[in-house]
Amino acid sequence: MTAGCLTRTRWHVTDNIAEAALRRIADAATQSLRERGCFHLVLAGGGTPRALYQRMPELQTDWSRWHIWFGDERCLPVDDAERNSLMAYQAWLHDSAIPAAQIHLMHAEWGGKSAAADYLDQLRGVGRFDVVLLGLGEDGHTASLFPGQTSEDAADALAVSHAPKPPPERVSLSARRLSDAAMVLFLVAGAGKRDAVAAWRRGAPIPAASICPLAGVDVLVAPECMAT
Ligand code: 6PG
């Protein structure tokens, strides 16, 4: 079981997660580009981020200096509708000005172990992420870090098998690598997440609570996920 950690968790209830996330990403990108000349963004999978990704082209930024990473990917063919990368391409990246070489795909179609090893290579020399986007599953999972699954946290990227959320085979960044970020934003919507949110708020060691960046995490959460 992934243990929780004592990181500052700031809760922001909003009925417009996409707008709230877009503003934060825009500010973080402006600062990173000014200070370091590049911006490294880790995308969340699942369905919640789609509305945000669809609005990303609104940003006025130097896309040529952006790098896109993925927090996790499902071991499916690249054109499978359930691929996290396909959702991101269809919603945003297909006509983005971000150089293709700076969109760092997890080659999960190769199988978990090969794809994890390849992502470790891609991440070599890459320091702290600027922004990490994450979702929350109804069981408290985040990325492809699921309850009860020991993740060899020594590696930055790991193969996941027997995931309870289909497909069973996945690739995920580890909690430690996801925590190596200047900003971590969780995007949480859907009444089905209410129990997971309540568990998180009472300190249960769910996988989402194992993400511990120095600056703490910000959870953009829809009203329906909050206990009444
Ligand atoms: C995945 C995601 C997963 C997702 C949550 C929330 O590959 O399934 O990375 O961690 O973020 O399950 O998914 P929804 O946004 O669809 O509720």
Side-chain angles (χ1 to χ4, degrees), residues 44-49 72 74 84 134-137 141-144 165 170 189 193:
T48 301
D72 72 327
R74 302 153 182 201
N84 290 328
L134 287 168
L136 177 71
H141 78 259
T142 193
S144 286
K165 177 181 179 183
R170 293 159 167 259
K193 315 291 178 70

Side-chain angles (χ1 to χ4, degrees), residues 15 73 84 87 92 103 107 126 129-132 145-146 164 178 198 207 212 215 227:
D15 53 16
E73 186 54 277
N84 290 328
M87 186 275 275
W92 168 29
I103 300 176
H107 296 296
V126 176
F129 294 125
D130 293 300
V131 174
V132 169
L145 305 173
F146 291 91
L178 288 165
C212 309

Side-chain angles (χ1 to χ4, degrees), residues 4-23:
C5 63
L6 294 176
T7 193
R8 197 145 148 55
T9 305
R10 294 171 293 269
W11 297 86
H12 312 275
V13 181
T14 173
D15 53 16
N16 193 338
I17 288 173
E19 172 67 22
L22 192 70
R23 293 298 134 235

Side-chain angles (χ1 to χ4, degrees), residues 32-52:
S32 298
L33 291 177
R34 183 175 58 240
E35 293 175 357
R36 301 189 310 114
C38 60
F39 180 62
H40 289 255
L41 172 66
V42 180
L43 299 188
T48 301
R50 181 182 288 109
L52 166 62

